[in-house]
Amino acid sequence: MYKILTSRGLGVAQKQNELMELALTHNFKAVEVDMVDLVGRHDALGKQFACQFLQSAKIDLGTFRLPLDFGSLNETYDEQMTKLDTILDLAQTLNSKCCYVVVDTNNENYSFQECFELYQRRLQDIAEKFEPTGIKIGLLLRASNAKEADGNFKFIQTAEELLTLVKAVACDNVGVCLDAWEWVVGGGTVDHIVATGISKTVVELRLADLTPGAELDGIKTSQRTQLPGDTEGSFSIELMKAVLADSADFPISVSTDSATYSRGSTDRNVAALSKQLDLLLEGKEPYKVKLEEEAAKAAEADEKENAEQGDKKTPVKSK
């Protein structure tokens, strides 16, 4: 597995070159890039200009959101598809291994079954186009957006529904972009993924935990711990144990809320993200490591205080 740095949760929007600099400084192999922006650069000033920052920094395009609305009307979808060749060319040039599709939780035009069949057909068509490139497509659950139908039709709102769609598409290069926080909100478990085969199903992994005491009813995206694995009973730790046992190989990142790191130094925040991912990739439980470090510091402080007290009690010999 390899670490991807994204701008999600860093509190402020990062320019492409700033994100790459942070990634290189803190040992991330790749970054997430806004493909719509990249295509815009390509169309305005050419492919060389669009790719120059990533190529000069010698860092990969780790993942990107595929800018296609699979549940849209034909006219809208066909217009979006005109950019697909450019997207694939840029992604291959920048050594991308995966991308993701945000799956609707509601749809204003189609019933569940109609929308499901539309996604299935379109994803199969896209998977065929992507197949020669080696780039995989991950479907991203947005369970926190789920709501009762109000003039719209409900669509994919749970982990099980998303897995059903992946199974129906039945393409080797289409799987799940697994956001651990959204997965739990959508009723997903580690067993759901293990049962389908982690290496076979997961395209990209994003780690995040629910804040202690958070209620799933009326959940807010801000109800995430600052770092995954920082609390006892962490879903991210449980998930990583299964991932490591499977010897899976895919990009991994931290999925935080936009307010998580709104304060403090961005450089320090990225350093914390990198360290936490390293601990999880080593199979360690970060909250235990933190407790051990705090205990060691306390013991060192006590030892220093005792030594200073001993120096004060030692009598000074007269000459």
Side-chain angles (χ1 to χ4, degrees), residues 242-257:
V243 168
L244 293 172
D246 191 77
S247 300
D249 184 22
F250 38 66
I252 182 173
S253 63
V254 174
S255 179
T256 52
D257 178 68

PDB file of all heavy atoms in Angstrom, residues 242-257:
ATOM      1  N   ALA A 242      -7.483  -6.419   9.126  1.00  0.00           N
ATOM      2  CA  ALA A 242      -7.986  -7.289   8.057  1.00  0.00           C
ATOM      3  C   ALA A 242      -7.262  -7.018   6.740  1.00  0.00           C
ATOM      4  O   ALA A 242      -6.930  -7.944   5.990  1.00  0.00           O
ATOM      5  CB  ALA A 242      -9.489  -7.089   7.890  1.00  0.00           C
ATOM      6  N   VAL A 243      -7.005  -5.738   6.457  1.00  0.00           N
ATOM      7  CA  VAL A 243      -6.319  -5.352   5.218  1.00  0.00           C
ATOM      8  C   VAL A 243      -4.900  -5.915   5.196  1.00  0.00           C
ATOM      9  O   VAL A 243      -4.450  -6.480   4.194  1.00  0.00           O
ATOM     10  CB  VAL A 243      -6.298  -3.816   5.079  1.00  0.00           C
ATOM     11  CG1 VAL A 243      -5.349  -3.383   3.967  1.00  0.00           C
ATOM     12  CG2 VAL A 243      -7.695  -3.281   4.798  1.00  0.00           C
ATOM     13  N   LEU A 244      -4.181  -5.782   6.317  1.00  0.00           N
ATOM     14  CA  LEU A 244      -2.805  -6.276   6.387  1.00  0.00           C
ATOM     15  C   LEU A 244      -2.758  -7.799   6.317  1.00  0.00           C
ATOM     16  O   LEU A 244      -1.855  -8.377   5.709  1.00  0.00           O
ATOM     17  CB  LEU A 244      -2.136  -5.774   7.668  1.00  0.00           C
ATOM     18  CG  LEU A 244      -1.907  -4.255   7.737  1.00  0.00           C
ATOM     19  CD1 LEU A 244      -1.417  -3.841   9.118  1.00  0.00           C
ATOM     20  CD2 LEU A 244      -0.908  -3.805   6.672  1.00  0.00           C
ATOM     21  N   ALA A 245      -3.739  -8.451   6.942  1.00  0.00           N
ATOM     22  CA  ALA A 245      -3.802  -9.919   6.901  1.00  0.00           C
ATOM     23  C   ALA A 245      -4.030 -10.417   5.475  1.00  0.00           C
ATOM     24  O   ALA A 245      -3.606 -11.518   5.117  1.00  0.00           O
ATOM     25  CB  ALA A 245      -4.909 -10.420   7.819  1.00  0.00           C
ATOM     26  N   ASP A 246      -4.681  -9.578   4.650  1.00  0.00           N
ATOM     27  CA  ASP A 246      -4.979  -9.927   3.270  1.00  0.00           C
ATOM     28  C   ASP A 246      -3.833  -9.582   2.325  1.00  0.00           C
ATOM     29  O   ASP A 246      -3.875  -9.918   1.141  1.00  0.00           O
ATOM     30  CB  ASP A 246      -6.256  -9.193   2.826  1.00  0.00           C
ATOM     31  CG  ASP A 246      -6.801  -9.680   1.505  1.00  0.00           C
ATOM     32  OD1 ASP A 246      -7.426 -10.753   1.469  1.00  0.00           O
ATOM     33  OD2 ASP A 246      -6.574  -8.989   0.495  1.00  0.00           O
ATOM     34  N   SER A 247      -2.802  -8.883   2.865  1.00  0.00           N
ATOM     35  CA  SER A 247      -1.672  -8.408   2.042  1.00  0.00           C
ATOM     36  C   SER A 247      -2.155  -7.576   0.860  1.00  0.00           C
ATOM     37  O   SER A 247      -1.629  -7.668  -0.254  1.00  0.00           O
ATOM     38  CB  SER A 247      -0.833  -9.594   1.536  1.00  0.00           C
ATOM     39  OG  SER A 247      -0.309 -10.323   2.627  1.00  0.00           O
ATOM     40  N   ALA A 248      -3.182  -6.780   1.104  1.00  0.00           N
ATOM     41  CA  ALA A 248      -3.770  -5.956   0.043  1.00  0.00           C
ATOM     42  C   ALA A 248      -2.817  -4.839  -0.371  1.00  0.00           C
ATOM     43  O   ALA A 248      -1.959  -4.409   0.407  1.00  0.00           O
ATOM     44  CB  ALA A 248      -5.089  -5.375   0.526  1.00  0.00           C
ATOM     45  N   ASP A 249      -2.978  -4.373  -1.589  1.00  0.00           N
ATOM     46  CA  ASP A 249      -2.114  -3.314  -2.120  1.00  0.00           C
ATOM     47  C   ASP A 249      -2.954  -2.297  -2.867  1.00  0.00           C
ATOM     48  O   ASP A 249      -3.384  -2.534  -3.999  1.00  0.00           O
ATOM     49  CB  ASP A 249      -1.052  -3.907  -3.046  1.00  0.00           C
ATOM     50  CG  ASP A 249      -0.069  -2.858  -3.540  1.00  0.00           C
ATOM     51  OD1 ASP A 249       0.061  -1.812  -2.874  1.00  0.00           O
ATOM     52  OD2 ASP A 249       0.556  -3.077  -4.591  1.00  0.00           O
ATOM     53  N   PHE A 250      -3.220  -1.163  -2.231  1.00  0.00           N
ATOM     54  CA  PHE A 250      -3.961  -0.073  -2.853  1.00  0.00           C
ATOM     55  C   PHE A 250      -3.620   1.216  -2.116  1.00  0.00           C
ATOM     56  O   PHE A 250      -3.030   1.192  -1.037  1.00  0.00           O
ATOM     57  CB  PHE A 250      -5.477  -0.323  -2.821  1.00  0.00           C
ATOM     58  CG  PHE A 250      -5.992  -0.978  -1.566  1.00  0.00           C
ATOM     59  CD1 PHE A 250      -5.947  -0.324  -0.344  1.00  0.00           C
ATOM     60  CD2 PHE A 250      -6.524  -2.256  -1.605  1.00  0.00           C
ATOM     61  CE1 PHE A 250      -6.426  -0.925   0.805  1.00  0.00           C
ATOM     62  CE2 PHE A 250      -7.007  -2.871  -0.463  1.00  0.00           C
ATOM     63  CZ  PHE A 250      -6.955  -2.196   0.749  1.00  0.00           C
ATOM     64  N   PRO A 251      -3.955   2.372  -2.683  1.00  0.00           N
ATOM     65  CA  PRO A 251      -3.650   3.648  -2.028  1.00  0.00           C
ATOM     66  C   PRO A 251      -4.464   3.846  -0.753  1.00  0.00           C
ATOM     67  O   PRO A 251      -5.607   3.406  -0.653  1.00  0.00           O
ATOM     68  CB  PRO A 251      -4.008   4.692  -3.085  1.00  0.00           C
ATOM     69  CG  PRO A 251      -4.931   4.007  -4.022  1.00  0.00           C
ATOM     70  CD  PRO A 251      -4.539   2.565  -4.023  1.00  0.00           C
ATOM     71  N   ILE A 252      -3.848   4.516   0.214  1.00  0.00           N
ATOM     72  CA  ILE A 252      -4.485   4.754   1.502  1.00  0.00           C
ATOM     73  C   ILE A 252      -4.304   6.216   1.897  1.00  0.00           C
ATOM     74  O   ILE A 252      -3.258   6.814   1.649  1.00  0.00           O
ATOM     75  CB  ILE A 252      -3.887   3.813   2.579  1.00  0.00           C
ATOM     76  CG1 ILE A 252      -4.567   4.002   3.929  1.00  0.00           C
ATOM     77  CG2 ILE A 252      -2.384   3.969   2.689  1.00  0.00           C
ATOM     78  CD1 ILE A 252      -4.136   2.979   4.972  1.00  0.00           C
ATOM     79  N   SER A 253      -5.344   6.782   2.500  1.00  0.00           N
ATOM     80  CA  SER A 253      -5.279   8.176   2.932  1.00  0.00           C
ATOM     81  C   SER A 253      -6.115   8.347   4.191  1.00  0.00           C
ATOM     82  O   SER A 253      -6.771   7.420   4.642  1.00  0.00           O
ATOM     83  CB  SER A 253      -5.789   9.117   1.828  1.00  0.00           C
ATOM     84  OG  SER A 253      -7.157   8.860   1.541  1.00  0.00           O
ATOM     85  N   VAL A 254      -6.071   9.553   4.754  1.00  0.00           N
ATOM     86  CA  VAL A 254      -6.914   9.890   5.903  1.00  0.00           C
ATOM     87  C   VAL A 254      -8.068  10.741   5.402  1.00  0.00           C
ATOM     88  O   VAL A 254      -7.869  11.724   4.690  1.00  0.00           O
ATOM     89  CB  VAL A 254      -6.120  10.656   6.975  1.00  0.00           C
ATOM     90  CG1 VAL A 254      -7.040  11.130   8.091  1.00  0.00           C
ATOM     91  CG2 VAL A 254      -5.018   9.771   7.560  1.00  0.00           C
ATOM     92  N   SER A 255      -9.286  10.360   5.763  1.00  0.00           N
ATOM     93  CA  SER A 255     -10.488  11.066   5.308  1.00  0.00           C
ATOM     94  C   SER A 255     -11.060  11.879   6.457  1.00  0.00           C
ATOM     95  O   SER A 255     -11.774  11.354   7.305  1.00  0.00           O
ATOM     96  CB  SER A 255     -11.529  10.054   4.799  1.00  0.00           C
ATOM     97  OG  SER A 255     -12.694  10.718   4.374  1.00  0.00           O
ATOM     98  N   THR A 256     -10.726  13.122   6.493  1.00  0.00           N
ATOM     99  CA  THR A 256     -11.181  13.992   7.569  1.00  0.00           C
ATOM    100  C   THR A 256     -12.237  14.963   7.065  1.00  0.00           C
ATOM    101  O   THR A 256     -12.500  15.059   5.879  1.00  0.00           O
ATOM    102  CB  THR A 256      -9.998  14.788   8.148  1.00  0.00           C
ATOM    103  OG1 THR A 256      -9.313  15.425   7.074  1.00  0.00           O
ATOM    104  CG2 THR A 256      -9.042  13.880   8.880  1.00  0.00           C
ATOM    105  N   ASP A 257     -12.826  15.697   7.983  1.00  0.00           N
ATOM    106  CA  ASP A 257     -13.790  16.731   7.631  1.00  0.00           C
ATOM    107  C   ASP A 257     -13.052  18.041   7.387  1.00  0.00           C
ATOM    108  O   ASP A 257     -11.934  18.241   7.876  1.00  0.00           O
ATOM    109  CB  ASP A 257     -14.805  16.891   8.770  1.00  0.00           C
ATOM    110  CG  ASP A 257     -15.801  17.999   8.487  1.00  0.00           C
ATOM    111  OD1 ASP A 257     -16.615  17.856   7.572  1.00  0.00           O
ATOM    112  OD2 ASP A 257     -15.741  19.030   9.180  1.00  0.00           O
TER     113      ASP A 257
END
